[in-house]
Amino acid sequence: MQLFAAHPAPGAADAVFAQAAGYHSERIAPAGIPGAWVCAMAKGRQRRDNFEDISSYSSKRAVRRNQKKKKRTGLKIFLGFLFTLFILVGGVLVYASTFMLGGLKTTTITQDKTELGITEQAQAQTEEAEGITNIALFGVDSRSDEGTFTGRSDAIMVLSIDNVHNKIKLTSILRDVRVYIGEECGYDTGYDKLNHAYAYGGPELAIKTINQNFGLDIEDYVTVNFAAMAEIVDAFGGVDIEVTEGEIAELNTNLAGLAAESPESLSGPAEPYTGEAGLAHLDGNQAVAYGRIRNIGNDNERVERQQEVLSALLGKLSSISPLEYPGLISKLAPLCETSLSVSDILGFAPIVVNGFEIERLSIPSDEEGYESGYGEGGGWMWFYDVEQAGAHIRQFIYEDRYVA
């Protein structure tokens, strides 16, 4: 059929074009309107009849598409930030674990608080004083093998990193105090000197013994072999300490003794201190000899001298450029053993960078009313109320966050 070949007569053509267009209504276009127009009108009406107005929701769909795009863009930004953060943190951890802390000897101890001697009261104190972390510091004297961290702990301290008050605190507990150790002890009573706990069961038993006797919440430790102490001091470039004429004489005597009996505990030639009394700059060997002075004062004063060396080292952290930290840490890492992870150690960086005060406490003090005598195995010991001493330590550590 040739629909548009000519203009058929009106009337007849109307029905033809309408039928060809698929328009079946009986109402046809008025006479005189060309058939092609009728066809177009018919098709137009059919489109209008079949037309669905989507304008009302097409705009909504566009908005949704935009929202999805924004969400996808926001998600990409977030994931990008997350991946960048992961890469940066991961890079720091990898750098720290390989270069700075690659030589660090790490161990794992139980995470069970009961097995570590942490009571419910101590846990409540930890929750109240969030931001204060206690770490046990042990100094062992294994001069026969500086690569080991075994034996009795000749130095026992609690290092408190206080991010609440911006302080680092050192609590020394004299090694010869009679305390309850438990079934691991060599005596049926379960009591022995505090420093024997490390020899009986390593750092884990030593931590448990401190916690259960003094009501603390220690979960990690760092042990240093005294054979490496001179190297540690030298890594810091030496320390500045006030010394008396009597201490200089004893220092040099000890230094000669170490050179003759334990040369492996020295970091180099034993050079005697030739300066005057007052503020003295001591190298590693001289600092170790100073910390071993026994013939001046009692055991408390010896511990205080050890504290002075450690405090001087900590004090130097604030004067060292952060750019020097990696080199310093890489020197110190091989000389220590710890249960702290790389991330734990990096977590302590802010207080070092931001600055801190150093405070010290030695137990027993006059507050404990201590006395000495002989205990299990005929050994000489300190006797005092360890529960009272524990309260004293906690008050010192937690200050206004202390829970009685």
Side-chain angles (χ1 to χ4, degrees), residues 112-125:
D112 187 296
K113 296 182 184 298
T114 301
E115 292 183 15
L116 288 176
I118 300 175
T119 64
E120 292 183 0
Q121 181 181 359
Q123 292 182 49
Q125 174 66 84

Side-chain angles (χ1 to χ4, degrees), residues 45-373:
R45 181 172 296 177
Q46 183 187 25
R47 293 192 186 100
R48 285 194 300 272
D49 290 342
N50 295 331
F51 175 71
E52 181 180 4
D53 185 4
I54 63 171
S55 62
S56 61
Y57 68 85
S58 62
S59 59
K60 293 180 181 179
R61 290 173 64 183
V63 170
R64 292 194 190 101
R65 282 198 300 270
N66 289 335
Q67 289 176 340
K68 288 181 179 179
K69 286 181 180 178
K70 290 180 179 179
K71 288 180 180 178
R72 285 196 294 269
T73 302
L75 182 60
K76 289 177 181 177
I77 293 173
F78 173 73
L79 290 176
F81 169 76
L82 189 63
F83 288 140
T84 302
L85 183 63
F86 175 77
I87 291 170
L88 289 175
V89 173
V92 169
L93 290 176
V94 170
Y95 175 74
S97 61
T98 55
F99 175 68
M100 289 194 297
L101 300 171
L104 182 66
K105 182 179 179 181
T106 58
T107 62
T108 56
I109 60 175
T110 182
Q111 297 299 305
D112 187 296
K113 296 182 184 298
T114 301
E115 292 183 15
L116 288 176
I118 300 175
T119 64
E120 292 183 0
Q121 181 181 359
Q123 292 182 49
Q125 174 66 84
T126 302
E127 294 173 0
E128 178 66 25
E130 184 178 357
I132 300 177
T133 303
N134 296 314
I135 302 167
L137 300 182
F138 300 111
V140 296
D141 197 355
S142 300
R143 280 174 279 181
S144 59
D145 185 359
E146 65 177 79
T148 64
F149 300 90
T150 58
R152 298 174 181 175
S153 51
D154 281 353
I156 303 166
M157 299 185 184
V158 179
L159 172 68
S160 301
I161 299 176
D162 184 351
N163 287 296
V164 177
H165 307 98
N166 293 320
K167 296 179 181 179
I168 289 181
K169 300 171 182 175
L170 283 173
T171 303
S172 291
I173 305 175
L174 297 190
R175 61 183 183 174
D176 293 326
V177 59
R178 182 179 184 268
V179 295
Y180 180 74
I181 295 177
E183 60 184 12
E184 297 90 348
C185 177
Y187 301 102
D188 293 338
T189 60
Y191 282 84
D192 202 350
K193 293 182 180 182
L194 176 60
N195 69 326
H196 288 189
Y198 199 103
Y200 288 136
E204 190 168 308
L205 180 59
I207 290 173
K208 177 182 178 181
T209 302
I210 295 172
N211 285 337
Q212 69 187 7
N213 282 278
F214 298 98
L216 297 178
D217 62 343
I218 301 168
E219 297 184 66
D220 288 292
Y221 77 98
V222 177
T223 296
V224 176
N225 190 333
F226 277 133
M229 193 64 196
E231 292 183 55
I232 292 175
V233 174
D234 283 339
F236 279 85
V239 290
D240 296 324
I241 294 176
E242 291 280 347
V243 295
T244 65
E245 291 184 1
E247 287 174 332
I248 292 174
E250 287 295 322
L251 181 162
N252 287 330
T253 299
N254 287 346
L255 191 57
L258 289 170
E261 301 171 10
S262 306
E264 68 278 359
S265 65
L266 301 178
S267 61
E271 300 289 343
Y273 180 74
T274 58
E276 299 179 352
L279 186 63
H281 183 76
L282 306 180
D283 64 21
N285 294 335
Q286 294 164 350
V288 169
Y290 171 80
R292 289 178 175 274
I293 294 175
R294 297 177 180 272
N295 295 330
I296 298 178
N298 55 26
D299 199 44
N300 285 20
E301 292 184 35
R302 182 182 65 85
V303 169
E304 287 178 2
R305 281 188 282 270
Q306 293 176 349
Q307 279 190 334
E308 286 177 14
V309 173
L310 288 177
S311 295
L313 291 175
L314 289 172
K316 294 198 74 171
L317 288 175
S318 60
S319 62
I320 294 175
S321 167
L323 296 177
E324 298 179 62
Y325 289 160
L328 177 62
I329 294 173
S330 66
K331 291 179 182 178
L332 298 179
L335 309 177
C336 305
E337 177 188 271
T338 183
S339 60
L340 293 166
S341 67
V342 173
S343 58
D344 289 335
I345 295 170
L346 292 177
F348 300 138
I351 193 169
V352 176
V353 175
N354 296 331
F356 55 88
E357 297 179 34
I358 300 175
E359 294 184 352
R360 300 181 301 178
L361 174 67
S362 184
I363 296 293
S365 66
D366 293 338
E367 187 173 314
E368 281 70 50
Y370 57 89
E371 59 184 26
S372 63

